Amino acid sequence: MRPLLPCLLALAGPAWAGVDAGLTSLTVPAPLELDRSLAYAVGLRNGGSTTSSTLVVDLHASADEVLGPGDIRLCRTQVAPLGPGAARTDTITCLWTTGIPGNHVIAEVFDAVAGVAGDDDPADNRRASGPVTPQPACAHDVQAVSLTVPPSLAPGASFTPSWSLRNHGDCDLVDLRSRLVLSADSTLDPGDTVLCDDVAAVPAAALVTRTPTCTVPAATPQVSWTVVLELDPDDALAEVDEGNNRALGATVVEVPKGPDLVVAAPTGTTSGEPGDAIDLSAQVRNDGSLSAAPTSLGVRLAPVGQAWEDGTALCTAGVPALLDGALTTVTVPGCAVPAGWPIGPARLLLRVDPFDGEAELDEANNELAVTFQVIEPPPTSGPDLEPHAVRAPTIVEVGRPFQVIYDLRNVGTTATPASTTTLALSDDDLLDGADVVVCTDGVEAFVIGQLARQIRGCVVPTGTPLGDRQLIVMADALRAIPELDETDNVVLVPLRVVAASGTNGGSGPGGSSGPGTDTSLVDTGDTGLVDTDDDRGDTDDLALPDLSRQGLGGLGCGCGTTGPSPAWVAVWSLVLLARRRRPTARPRAPAPRRG
């Protein structure tokens, strides 16, 4: 394994524990003039994990790209240390005098403390330029010939000036820098605002026109200013005449005059079916500096991602004349979702001055988009299950079974397939994953108008939190049936969950006669439905047996904390049904007294 270590380290890249100062780039000035101090750009990087000391950069004149003993050093410059992983570009000023041979420049970097070239990775300590051509020094002279700027500018606005410059020198300039400055007077001061910079190639004896994009800072005071064009602002060129590098232009920075209408704060309908009316209001304000004439507010409906021009016109409303800074609320009548519009997300587009009758300072802020959902109309026929008349104990014990009786009716216009009713304990009125399911009820198919009484044995699972809860009875809890009305599937019954009063599922704390689950019942009522045995409110309806304590011929629940067995629940369901079908005994008339 040991021979693999150097290979793995090589694949992972160097991780120098010391300093690794290297060169990443070398830029030679053009033209490369002899006997003139020129600026060379040198890219430096420390690839090690330790901060370097002061670094030394040498520039050499060479006949090729390899530093040899016959090459001549042009200059030596000390530069600041580099931290671990740090990189920067330094400017090195160097002089190539007449008589020094060579057509390449080679840069070399090393640690000033070490005093010798090389460090942890000497391979990147040198960098050579491509071929260069040293030439006699040029007679430079650039002149700012003309400058044209707008007579007025707005704070924050962009504009395009135009200026001409001429190169009177005898050398081509490949990167002449110029800049436009906003000055309080005709002189340049350190605090003046630079509007833009420009770099251009200017051949010898050529006249060049430049048109860059400049921007007035938003915080610029609204006063008269002088715009100054300055060529070669860094004095990189030694010119024959330094006095012709500037040109002046006058401008006034001011806020432009005019209205500016903006739509804001929409309110109203955010969804609807095809054909539904849309209630819509919005604010329109004038953010401009002049009054706005009366106009209108238009509304269009467009697919997501499409513009005003692609939308369908819905409605318009009038907008009164607005003084500058004024605000009004506009209600748009007569809006409706077009018939046949595709179901799904769309956008309501509100545009003030939709026909561009008002010349505004900013035409781009006239429109506002509002998300709108086109929804599918509810079905006109289909099944619809509604639970009613839920009867349940007011108190249930953890681990003990209890009984729930509810009526279920299909109030729809077609039969329902088989479905599932879920009964769960909840802290709110929504059935979700945080609720505790106490039982589920598999419901058979229902014909139109069918009403059936469902009887379920449920149990509160061990670990259920104690306290007040809602018993949620939700028909078609799996949403397997597309119903006419999905909002009538739930009935809520308040109850309280308490700790178990005994360990035997068939008896209370004092034995078989002690109290178990509370037999007082909450009856949600039949809500206008006819009771299944036509005697709603009778003893058989309200005094239901407590399944946690009752037995049948010695058959007890025996369910402990696991809930009643299916056989046990089935037997009790038959008993309850038999009780409801058994005719009520009529009281006998008293026997006549005999004398």
Side-chain angles (χ1 to χ4, degrees):
M1 295 299 292
R2 290 185 179 177
L4 291 178
L5 183 58
C7 298
L8 293 175
L9 292 175
L11 290 174
W16 306 113
V19 176
D20 179 23
L23 292 163
T24 59
S25 63
L26 171 62
T27 303
V28 178
L32 181 54
E33 301 176 60
L34 296 171
D35 303 315
R36 178 164 289 170
S37 295
L38 302 175
Y40 295 72
V42 178
L44 299 166
R45 182 179 182 275
N46 180 5
S49 60
T50 304
T51 301
S52 74
S53 61
T54 300
L55 298 175
V56 174
V57 177
D58 284 349
L59 297 182
H60 302 268
S62 176
D64 51 31
E65 296 183 357
V66 179
L67 187 61
D71 295 336
I72 299 175
R73 185 175 67 197
L74 300 176
C75 58
R76 168 170 287 185
T77 305
Q78 289 191 348
V79 297
L82 274 172
R88 69 168 185 266
T89 299
D90 284 2
T91 299
I92 307 296
T93 302
C94 217
L95 178 70
W96 191 321
T97 59
T98 302
I100 296 179
N103 59 2
H104 288 79
V105 177
I106 297 178
E108 183 179 27
V109 64
F110 54 88
D111 195 310
V113 174
V116 295
D119 51 20
D120 286 338
D121 182 18
D124 59 355
N125 283 57
R126 293 175 183 174
R127 180 169 288 270
S129 71
V132 296
T133 304
Q135 63 186 50
C138 299
H140 293 299
D141 186 18
V142 291
Q143 176 193 5
V145 177
S146 64
L147 171 64
T148 303
V149 294
S152 65
L153 296 169
S158 296
F159 66 101
T160 303
S162 174
W163 67 75
S164 297
L165 56 94
R166 185 182 295 277
N167 181 4
H168 292 290
D170 52 12
C171 286
D172 295 342
L173 301 175
V174 296
D175 54 356
L176 177 65
R177 180 171 172 250
S178 54
R179 66 179 183 177
L180 210 59
V181 180
L182 198 62
S183 174
D185 47 37
S186 58
T187 61
L188 293 179
D189 302 307
D192 290 342
T193 301
V194 177
L195 301 177
C196 55
D197 277 278
D198 182 67
V199 177
V202 187
L207 178 68
V208 175
T209 299
R210 305 296 296 168
T211 56
T213 299
C214 305
T215 302
V216 180
T220 303
Q222 300 170 35
V223 296
S224 297
W225 294 89
T226 299
V227 180
V228 181
L229 169 65
E230 184 181 24
L231 307 181
D232 189 30
D234 303 317
D235 290 327
L237 300 175
E239 299 185 58
V240 175
D241 183 2
E242 296 283 0
N244 60 357
N245 285 18
R246 296 177 182 175
L248 306 179
T251 189
V252 175
V253 176
E254 62 180 3
V255 175
K257 304 296 183 181
D260 184 17
L261 296 173
V262 180
V263 185
T267 58
T269 309
T270 58
S271 65
E273 305 167 13
D276 280 358
I278 301 174
D279 298 324
L280 191 61
S281 298
Q283 292 180 352
V284 177
R285 67 175 187 268
N286 181 6
D287 286 349
S289 54
L290 293 178
S291 298
T295 183
S296 60
L297 177 66
V299 181
R300 292 188 177 187
L301 186 64
V304 175
Q306 294 193 11
W308 172 267
E309 293 73 18
D310 304 316
T312 299
L314 300 184
C315 47
T316 59
V319 178
L322 293 174
L323 298 175
D324 52 301
L327 172 73
T328 187
T329 298
V330 179
T331 299
V332 190
C335 297
V337 183
W341 191 273
I343 305 302
R347 295 199 308 163
L348 285 174
L349 304 179
L350 291 74
R351 177 178 283 191
V352 65
D353 190 29
F355 304 107
D356 294 327
E358 186 79 67
E360 301 182 54
L361 295 176
D362 185 1
E363 299 286 355
N365 60 358
N366 286 22
E367 186 178 310
L368 183 66
V370 180
T371 300
F372 190 85
Q373 185 73 25
V374 181
I375 58 178
E376 188 170 359
T380 57
S381 65
D384 188 9
L385 288 174
E386 280 187 355
H388 289 279
V390 178
R391 296 160 175 81
T394 57
I395 297 176
V396 294
E397 298 180 6
V398 174
R400 290 191 180 279
F402 64 97
Q403 186 185 62
V404 178
I405 299 177
Y406 66 96
D407 294 340
L408 189 64
R409 169 173 279 180
N410 177 12
V411 296
T413 59
T414 62
T416 71
S419 63
T420 299
T421 300
T422 294
L423 294 84
L425 300 176
S426 177
D427 290 327
D428 50 37
D429 56 357
L430 297 175
L431 182 63
D432 52 40
D435 298 336
V436 179
V437 176
V438 294
C439 56
T440 58
D441 189 8
V443 179
E444 61 188 15
F446 273 40
V447 299
I448 301 173
Q450 179 178 346
L451 172 67
R453 177 153 293 178
Q454 308 294 115
I455 304 173
R456 291 303 300 165
C458 304
V459 65
V460 181
T462 301
T464 301
L466 308 182
D468 293 334
R469 296 286 187 276
Q470 296 270 22
L471 175 65
I472 295 181
V473 180
M474 183 173 184
D476 188 28
L478 303 180
R479 298 290 188 185
I481 305 174
E483 300 185 57
L484 284 176
D485 186 359
E486 297 285 358
T487 65
D488 60 355
N489 288 20
V490 175
V491 175
L492 305 175
V493 178
L495 50 72
R496 176 169 296 175
V497 178
V498 299
S501 57
T503 58
N504 186 347
S507 63
S512 60
S513 61
T517 302
D518 191 354
T519 55
S520 61
L521 301 178
V522 174
D523 187 346
T524 61
D526 287 334
T527 355
L529 297 180
V530 179
D531 201 14
T532 51
D533 53 1
D534 294 329
D535 57 354
R536 179 178 180 272
D538 62 359
T539 302
D540 191 35
D541 277 343
L542 298 179
L544 297 175
D546 178 4
L547 293 187
S548 67
R549 302 189 279 118
Q550 298 292 334
L552 179 63
L555 177 63
C557 171
C559 51
T561 61
T562 61
S565 66
W568 188 87
V569 172
V571 170
W572 263 111
S573 299
L574 293 173
V575 171
L576 291 170
L577 290 174
R579 287 182 180 178
R580 292 184 177 278
R581 295 184 179 132
R582 185 176 58 205
T584 305
R586 296 182 179 180
R588 296 181 180 180
R593 299 181 63 183
R594 297 181 181 272

